[in-house]
Every structure is written in C-alpha cells, then in structure tokens.
PDB file of all heavy atoms in Angstrom:
ATOM      1  N   ALA I   1      60.660   3.114 -29.336  1.00  0.00           N
ATOM      2  CA  ALA I   1      61.419   2.762 -30.522  1.00  0.00           C
ATOM      3  C   ALA I   1      60.648   3.251 -31.735  1.00  0.00           C
ATOM      4  O   ALA I   1      59.442   3.475 -31.681  1.00  0.00           O
ATOM      5  CB  ALA I   1      61.618   1.257 -30.591  1.00  0.00           C
ATOM      6  N   LEU I   2      61.338   3.387 -32.845  1.00  0.00           N
ATOM      7  CA  LEU I   2      60.770   3.826 -34.102  1.00  0.00           C
ATOM      8  C   LEU I   2      61.180   2.858 -35.206  1.00  0.00           C
ATOM      9  O   LEU I   2      62.324   2.514 -35.332  1.00  0.00           O
ATOM     10  CB  LEU I   2      61.259   5.238 -34.433  1.00  0.00           C
ATOM     11  CG  LEU I   2      60.863   5.824 -35.784  1.00  0.00           C
ATOM     12  CD1 LEU I   2      59.345   6.025 -35.863  1.00  0.00           C
ATOM     13  CD2 LEU I   2      61.589   7.132 -36.044  1.00  0.00           C
ATOM     14  N   LEU I   3      60.167   2.457 -35.997  1.00  0.00           N
ATOM     15  CA  LEU I   3      60.397   1.640 -37.185  1.00  0.00           C
ATOM     16  C   LEU I   3      59.882   2.382 -38.390  1.00  0.00           C
ATOM     17  O   LEU I   3      58.703   2.764 -38.422  1.00  0.00           O
ATOM     18  CB  LEU I   3      59.685   0.299 -37.071  1.00  0.00           C
ATOM     19  CG  LEU I   3      59.920  -0.531 -35.809  1.00  0.00           C
ATOM     20  CD1 LEU I   3      59.118  -1.827 -35.882  1.00  0.00           C
ATOM     21  CD2 LEU I   3      61.390  -0.796 -35.598  1.00  0.00           C
ATOM     22  N   VAL I   4      60.757   2.660 -39.356  1.00  0.00           N
ATOM     23  CA  VAL I   4      60.397   3.420 -40.539  1.00  0.00           C
ATOM     24  C   VAL I   4      60.811   2.663 -41.778  1.00  0.00           C
ATOM     25  O   VAL I   4      61.915   2.096 -41.806  1.00  0.00           O
ATOM     26  CB  VAL I   4      61.059   4.823 -40.535  1.00  0.00           C
ATOM     27  CG1 VAL I   4      60.555   5.660 -41.689  1.00  0.00           C
ATOM     28  CG2 VAL I   4      60.808   5.547 -39.218  1.00  0.00           C
ATOM     29  N   THR I   5      59.954   2.639 -42.766  1.00  0.00           N
ATOM     30  CA  THR I   5      60.283   1.985 -44.021  1.00  0.00           C
ATOM     31  C   THR I   5      60.157   2.972 -45.171  1.00  0.00           C
ATOM     32  O   THR I   5      59.372   3.917 -45.111  1.00  0.00           O
ATOM     33  CB  THR I   5      59.328   0.794 -44.278  1.00  0.00           C
ATOM     34  OG1 THR I   5      57.994   1.261 -44.354  1.00  0.00           O
ATOM     35  CG2 THR I   5      59.450  -0.267 -43.209  1.00  0.00           C
ATOM     36  N   GLY I   6      60.969   2.745 -46.193  1.00  0.00           N
ATOM     37  CA  GLY I   6      60.939   3.625 -47.370  1.00  0.00           C
ATOM     38  C   GLY I   6      61.097   2.817 -48.636  1.00  0.00           C
ATOM     39  O   GLY I   6      61.965   1.919 -48.698  1.00  0.00           O
ATOM     40  N   GLY I   7      60.295   3.098 -49.626  1.00  0.00           N
ATOM     41  CA  GLY I   7      60.331   2.353 -50.868  1.00  0.00           C
ATOM     42  C   GLY I   7      61.591   2.560 -51.672  1.00  0.00           C
ATOM     43  O   GLY I   7      62.024   1.700 -52.423  1.00  0.00           O
ATOM     44  N   SER I   8      62.210   3.689 -51.512  1.00  0.00           N
ATOM     45  CA  SER I   8      63.462   4.003 -52.247  1.00  0.00           C
ATOM     46  C   SER I   8      64.613   4.066 -51.243  1.00  0.00           C
ATOM     47  O   SER I   8      64.467   3.635 -50.110  1.00  0.00           O
ATOM     48  CB  SER I   8      63.323   5.309 -53.009  1.00  0.00           C
ATOM     49  OG  SER I   8      63.117   6.382 -52.096  1.00  0.00           O
ATOM     50  N   GLU I   9      65.718   4.584 -51.690  1.00  0.00           N
ATOM     51  CA  GLU I   9      66.878   4.727 -50.813  1.00  0.00           C
ATOM     52  C   GLU I   9      67.656   5.963 -51.204  1.00  0.00           C
ATOM     53  O   GLU I   9      67.966   6.150 -52.388  1.00  0.00           O
ATOM     54  CB  GLU I   9      67.767   3.489 -50.903  1.00  0.00           C
ATOM     55  CG  GLU I   9      68.881   3.473 -49.901  1.00  0.00           C
ATOM     56  CD  GLU I   9      69.603   2.120 -49.818  1.00  0.00           C
ATOM     57  OE1 GLU I   9      69.357   1.255 -50.674  1.00  0.00           O
ATOM     58  OE2 GLU I   9      70.405   1.976 -48.907  1.00  0.00           O
ATOM     59  N   TYR I  10      67.908   6.845 -50.225  1.00  0.00           N
ATOM     60  CA  TYR I  10      68.703   8.023 -50.470  1.00  0.00           C
ATOM     61  C   TYR I  10      69.346   8.443 -49.153  1.00  0.00           C
ATOM     62  O   TYR I  10      68.864   8.099 -48.088  1.00  0.00           O
ATOM     63  CB  TYR I  10      67.844   9.156 -51.067  1.00  0.00           C
ATOM     64  CG  TYR I  10      66.613   9.503 -50.286  1.00  0.00           C
ATOM     65  CD1 TYR I  10      66.636  10.474 -49.282  1.00  0.00           C
ATOM     66  CD2 TYR I  10      65.409   8.867 -50.559  1.00  0.00           C
ATOM     67  CE1 TYR I  10      65.500  10.776 -48.564  1.00  0.00           C
ATOM     68  CE2 TYR I  10      64.263   9.176 -49.831  1.00  0.00           C
ATOM     69  CZ  TYR I  10      64.313  10.136 -48.856  1.00  0.00           C
ATOM     70  OH  TYR I  10      63.180  10.441 -48.142  1.00  0.00           O
ATOM     71  N   PRO I  11      70.450   9.180 -49.230  1.00  0.00           N
ATOM     72  CA  PRO I  11      71.189   9.573 -48.015  1.00  0.00           C
ATOM     73  C   PRO I  11      70.329  10.394 -47.076  1.00  0.00           C
ATOM     74  O   PRO I  11      69.582  11.298 -47.496  1.00  0.00           O
ATOM     75  CB  PRO I  11      72.350  10.403 -48.543  1.00  0.00           C
ATOM     76  CG  PRO I  11      72.502  10.021 -49.981  1.00  0.00           C
ATOM     77  CD  PRO I  11      71.137   9.643 -50.455  1.00  0.00           C
ATOM     78  N   GLY I  12      70.361  10.056 -45.802  1.00  0.00           N
ATOM     79  CA  GLY I  12      69.681  10.828 -44.766  1.00  0.00           C
ATOM     80  C   GLY I  12      68.179  10.664 -44.734  1.00  0.00           C
ATOM     81  O   GLY I  12      67.482  11.442 -44.086  1.00  0.00           O
ATOM     82  N   MET I  13      67.662   9.650 -45.385  1.00  0.00           N
ATOM     83  CA  MET I  13      66.216   9.529 -45.511  1.00  0.00           C
ATOM     84  C   MET I  13      65.487   9.319 -44.200  1.00  0.00           C
ATOM     85  O   MET I  13      64.277   9.610 -44.109  1.00  0.00           O
ATOM     86  CB  MET I  13      65.833   8.441 -46.507  1.00  0.00           C
ATOM     87  CG  MET I  13      66.202   7.019 -46.116  1.00  0.00           C
ATOM     88  SD  MET I  13      65.971   5.821 -47.457  1.00  0.00           S
ATOM     89  CE  MET I  13      64.207   5.680 -47.551  1.00  0.00           C
ATOM     90  N   PHE I  14      66.179   8.841 -43.169  1.00  0.00           N
ATOM     91  CA  PHE I  14      65.485   8.599 -41.893  1.00  0.00           C
ATOM     92  C   PHE I  14      65.796   9.621 -40.814  1.00  0.00           C
ATOM     93  O   PHE I  14      65.372   9.471 -39.673  1.00  0.00           O
ATOM     94  CB  PHE I  14      65.853   7.174 -41.389  1.00  0.00           C
ATOM     95  CG  PHE I  14      65.438   6.087 -42.347  1.00  0.00           C
ATOM     96  CD1 PHE I  14      66.385   5.241 -42.912  1.00  0.00           C
ATOM     97  CD2 PHE I  14      64.102   5.911 -42.687  1.00  0.00           C
ATOM     98  CE1 PHE I  14      65.994   4.222 -43.772  1.00  0.00           C
ATOM     99  CE2 PHE I  14      63.697   4.916 -43.558  1.00  0.00           C
ATOM    100  CZ  PHE I  14      64.653   4.082 -44.119  1.00  0.00           C
ATOM    101  N   VAL I  15      66.500  10.697 -41.169  1.00  0.00           N
ATOM    102  CA  VAL I  15      66.887  11.707 -40.182  1.00  0.00           C
ATOM    103  C   VAL I  15      65.677  12.456 -39.662  1.00  0.00           C
ATOM    104  O   VAL I  15      65.475  12.590 -38.455  1.00  0.00           O
ATOM    105  CB  VAL I  15      67.944  12.675 -40.785  1.00  0.00           C
ATOM    106  CG1 VAL I  15      68.202  13.832 -39.836  1.00  0.00           C
ATOM    107  CG2 VAL I  15      69.223  11.933 -41.081  1.00  0.00           C
ATOM    108  N   ALA I  16      64.837  12.998 -40.539  1.00  0.00           N
ATOM    109  CA  ALA I  16      63.690  13.796 -40.105  1.00  0.00           C
ATOM    110  C   ALA I  16      62.710  12.972 -39.277  1.00  0.00           C
ATOM    111  O   ALA I  16      62.282  13.435 -38.218  1.00  0.00           O
ATOM    112  CB  ALA I  16      63.007  14.447 -41.311  1.00  0.00           C
ATOM    113  N   PRO I  17      62.323  11.763 -39.714  1.00  0.00           N
ATOM    114  CA  PRO I  17      61.382  10.972 -38.885  1.00  0.00           C
ATOM    115  C   PRO I  17      61.937  10.700 -37.482  1.00  0.00           C
ATOM    116  O   PRO I  17      61.196  10.720 -36.507  1.00  0.00           O
ATOM    117  CB  PRO I  17      61.168   9.696 -39.661  1.00  0.00           C
ATOM    118  CG  PRO I  17      61.536  10.029 -41.074  1.00  0.00           C
ATOM    119  CD  PRO I  17      62.593  11.086 -41.004  1.00  0.00           C
ATOM    120  N   ARG I  18      63.224  10.449 -37.397  1.00  0.00           N
ATOM    121  CA  ARG I  18      63.817  10.187 -36.078  1.00  0.00           C
ATOM    122  C   ARG I  18      63.738  11.413 -35.189  1.00  0.00           C
ATOM    123  O   ARG I  18      63.457  11.327 -33.994  1.00  0.00           O
ATOM    124  CB  ARG I  18      65.274   9.706 -36.218  1.00  0.00           C
ATOM    125  CG  ARG I  18      65.872   9.373 -34.877  1.00  0.00           C
ATOM    126  CD  ARG I  18      67.342   8.992 -34.954  1.00  0.00           C
ATOM    127  NE  ARG I  18      67.826   8.625 -33.630  1.00  0.00           N
ATOM    128  CZ  ARG I  18      68.037   7.393 -33.245  1.00  0.00           C
ATOM    129  NH1 ARG I  18      67.809   6.365 -34.056  1.00  0.00           N
ATOM    130  NH2 ARG I  18      68.470   7.134 -32.028  1.00  0.00           N
ATOM    131  N   LYS I  19      63.968  12.582 -35.771  1.00  0.00           N
ATOM    132  CA  LYS I  19      63.881  13.824 -34.966  1.00  0.00           C
ATOM    133  C   LYS I  19      62.444  14.066 -34.473  1.00  0.00           C
ATOM    134  O   LYS I  19      62.269  14.430 -33.307  1.00  0.00           O
ATOM    135  CB  LYS I  19      64.357  15.024 -35.800  1.00  0.00           C
ATOM    136  CG  LYS I  19      65.877  15.079 -35.973  1.00  0.00           C
ATOM    137  CD  LYS I  19      66.288  16.305 -36.740  1.00  0.00           C
ATOM    138  CE  LYS I  19      67.784  16.313 -36.868  1.00  0.00           C
ATOM    139  NZ  LYS I  19      68.276  17.532 -37.554  1.00  0.00           N
ATOM    140  N   VAL I  20      61.484  13.854 -35.312  1.00  0.00           N
ATOM    141  CA  VAL I  20      60.083  14.072 -34.926  1.00  0.00           C
ATOM    142  C   VAL I  20      59.677  13.067 -33.846  1.00  0.00           C
ATOM    143  O   VAL I  20      59.114  13.435 -32.800  1.00  0.00           O
ATOM    144  CB  VAL I  20      59.122  13.968 -36.123  1.00  0.00           C
ATOM    145  CG1 VAL I  20      57.680  13.972 -35.703  1.00  0.00           C
ATOM    146  CG2 VAL I  20      59.408  15.098 -37.121  1.00  0.00           C
ATOM    147  N   ALA I  21      60.001  11.796 -34.048  1.00  0.00           N
ATOM    148  CA  ALA I  21      59.643  10.803 -33.040  1.00  0.00           C
ATOM    149  C   ALA I  21      60.413  11.034 -31.757  1.00  0.00           C
ATOM    150  O   ALA I  21      59.841  10.899 -30.650  1.00  0.00           O
ATOM    151  CB  ALA I  21      59.962   9.388 -33.552  1.00  0.00           C
ATOM    152  N   GLY I  22      61.667  11.425 -31.839  1.00  0.00           N
ATOM    153  CA  GLY I  22      62.458  11.720 -30.633  1.00  0.00           C
ATOM    154  C   GLY I  22      61.847  12.859 -29.834  1.00  0.00           C
ATOM    155  O   GLY I  22      61.740  12.794 -28.624  1.00  0.00           O
ATOM    156  N   ALA I  23      61.413  13.912 -30.525  1.00  0.00           N
ATOM    157  CA  ALA I  23      60.779  15.050 -29.833  1.00  0.00           C
ATOM    158  C   ALA I  23      59.454  14.625 -29.219  1.00  0.00           C
ATOM    159  O   ALA I  23      59.127  15.038 -28.101  1.00  0.00           O
ATOM    160  CB  ALA I  23      60.575  16.200 -30.798  1.00  0.00           C
ATOM    161  N   ALA I  24      58.687  13.803 -29.945  1.00  0.00           N
ATOM    162  CA  ALA I  24      57.389  13.357 -29.423  1.00  0.00           C
ATOM    163  C   ALA I  24      57.590  12.521 -28.157  1.00  0.00           C
ATOM    164  O   ALA I  24      56.928  12.754 -27.140  1.00  0.00           O
ATOM    165  CB  ALA I  24      56.658  12.549 -30.489  1.00  0.00           C
ATOM    166  N   PHE I  25      58.490  11.553 -28.197  1.00  0.00           N
ATOM    167  CA  PHE I  25      58.702  10.716 -27.041  1.00  0.00           C
ATOM    168  C   PHE I  25      59.335  11.496 -25.887  1.00  0.00           C
ATOM    169  O   PHE I  25      59.049  11.255 -24.727  1.00  0.00           O
ATOM    170  CB  PHE I  25      59.546   9.484 -27.389  1.00  0.00           C
ATOM    171  CG  PHE I  25      58.781   8.436 -28.147  1.00  0.00           C
ATOM    172  CD1 PHE I  25      59.203   8.019 -29.379  1.00  0.00           C
ATOM    173  CD2 PHE I  25      57.640   7.873 -27.611  1.00  0.00           C
ATOM    174  CE1 PHE I  25      58.493   7.037 -30.078  1.00  0.00           C
ATOM    175  CE2 PHE I  25      56.937   6.887 -28.288  1.00  0.00           C
ATOM    176  CZ  PHE I  25      57.351   6.489 -29.520  1.00  0.00           C
ATOM    177  N   LYS I  26      60.175  12.472 -26.183  1.00  0.00           N
ATOM    178  CA  LYS I  26      60.757  13.309 -25.126  1.00  0.00           C
ATOM    179  C   LYS I  26      59.647  14.070 -24.401  1.00  0.00           C
ATOM    180  O   LYS I  26      59.689  14.222 -23.174  1.00  0.00           O
ATOM    181  CB  LYS I  26      61.773  14.306 -25.733  1.00  0.00           C
ATOM    182  CG  LYS I  26      62.456  15.151 -24.684  1.00  0.00           C
ATOM    183  CD  LYS I  26      63.500  16.055 -25.322  1.00  0.00           C
ATOM    184  CE  LYS I  26      64.175  16.872 -24.234  1.00  0.00           C
ATOM    185  NZ  LYS I  26      65.195  17.759 -24.787  1.00  0.00           N
ATOM    186  N   THR I  27      58.648  14.512 -25.152  1.00  0.00           N
ATOM    187  CA  THR I  27      57.515  15.205 -24.556  1.00  0.00           C
ATOM    188  C   THR I  27      56.798  14.284 -23.535  1.00  0.00           C
ATOM    189  O   THR I  27      56.294  14.743 -22.523  1.00  0.00           O
ATOM    190  CB  THR I  27      56.532  15.658 -25.637  1.00  0.00           C
ATOM    191  OG1 THR I  27      57.186  16.620 -26.462  1.00  0.00           O
ATOM    192  CG2 THR I  27      55.279  16.266 -25.059  1.00  0.00           C
ATOM    193  N   LEU I  28      56.764  12.977 -23.831  1.00  0.00           N
ATOM    194  CA  LEU I  28      56.123  12.036 -22.921  1.00  0.00           C
ATOM    195  C   LEU I  28      57.075  11.553 -21.810  1.00  0.00           C
ATOM    196  O   LEU I  28      56.652  10.828 -20.916  1.00  0.00           O
ATOM    197  CB  LEU I  28      55.631  10.814 -23.711  1.00  0.00           C
ATOM    198  CG  LEU I  28      54.591  11.087 -24.797  1.00  0.00           C
ATOM    199  CD1 LEU I  28      54.195   9.787 -25.499  1.00  0.00           C
ATOM    200  CD2 LEU I  28      53.377  11.824 -24.248  1.00  0.00           C
ATOM    201  N   GLY I  29      58.333  11.944 -21.902  1.00  0.00           N
ATOM    202  CA  GLY I  29      59.305  11.499 -20.896  1.00  0.00           C
ATOM    203  C   GLY I  29      59.804  10.103 -21.166  1.00  0.00           C
ATOM    204  O   GLY I  29      60.311   9.436 -20.271  1.00  0.00           O
ATOM    205  N   MET I  30      59.666   9.615 -22.385  1.00  0.00           N
ATOM    206  CA  MET I  30      60.082   8.262 -22.762  1.00  0.00           C
ATOM    207  C   MET I  30      61.342   8.341 -23.644  1.00  0.00           C
ATOM    208  O   MET I  30      61.313   9.005 -24.678  1.00  0.00           O
ATOM    209  CB  MET I  30      58.994   7.535 -23.562  1.00  0.00           C
ATOM    210  CG  MET I  30      57.681   7.406 -22.843  1.00  0.00           C
ATOM    211  SD  MET I  30      56.401   6.665 -23.869  1.00  0.00           S
ATOM    212  CE  MET I  30      56.844   4.918 -23.631  1.00  0.00           C
ATOM    213  N   PRO I  31      62.411   7.676 -23.245  1.00  0.00           N
ATOM    214  CA  PRO I  31      63.609   7.706 -24.094  1.00  0.00           C
ATOM    215  C   PRO I  31      63.419   6.905 -25.376  1.00  0.00           C
ATOM    216  O   PRO I  31      62.891   5.767 -25.340  1.00  0.00           O
ATOM    217  CB  PRO I  31      64.683   7.084 -23.212  1.00  0.00           C
ATOM    218  CG  PRO I  31      63.937   6.265 -22.204  1.00  0.00           C
ATOM    219  CD  PRO I  31      62.602   6.906 -22.005  1.00  0.00           C
ATOM    220  N   LEU I  32      63.818   7.478 -26.481  1.00  0.00           N
ATOM    221  CA  LEU I  32      63.818   6.773 -27.764  1.00  0.00           C
ATOM    222  C   LEU I  32      65.132   5.987 -27.811  1.00  0.00           C
ATOM    223  O   LEU I  32      66.202   6.560 -28.016  1.00  0.00           O
ATOM    224  CB  LEU I  32      63.743   7.751 -28.931  1.00  0.00           C
ATOM    225  CG  LEU I  32      63.805   7.161 -30.333  1.00  0.00           C
ATOM    226  CD1 LEU I  32      62.658   6.189 -30.579  1.00  0.00           C
ATOM    227  CD2 LEU I  32      63.799   8.280 -31.384  1.00  0.00           C
TER     228      LEU I  32
END
C-alpha cells in the first residue's frame, strides 16, 4: 500500500507517486 500526503491540493497530484510505487512493488512481485 502507499500513503502520500501533500501540503497543497491540485489535480492529479498523486498520479506520479502511485506509478513509481506501483512499479517498485511490481519489481518485488507484490501487488499494490
């Protein structure tokens, strides 16, 4: 799982972190 916080708010702000974490966990064979 991934928990991300951001001080501000804007559209799509959590898209890139999810992609990076998803790729990292996929490398380990762990489903996000």
Side-chain angles (χ1 to χ4, degrees):
L2 174 65
L3 308 180
V4 186
T5 60
S8 63
E9 187 169 9
Y10 53 91
M13 66 189 287
F14 299 119
V15 172
R18 183 184 182 104
K19 286 182 179 183
V20 171
F25 284 123
K26 183 177 181 180
T27 296
L28 300 180
M30 300 176 83
L32 177 61

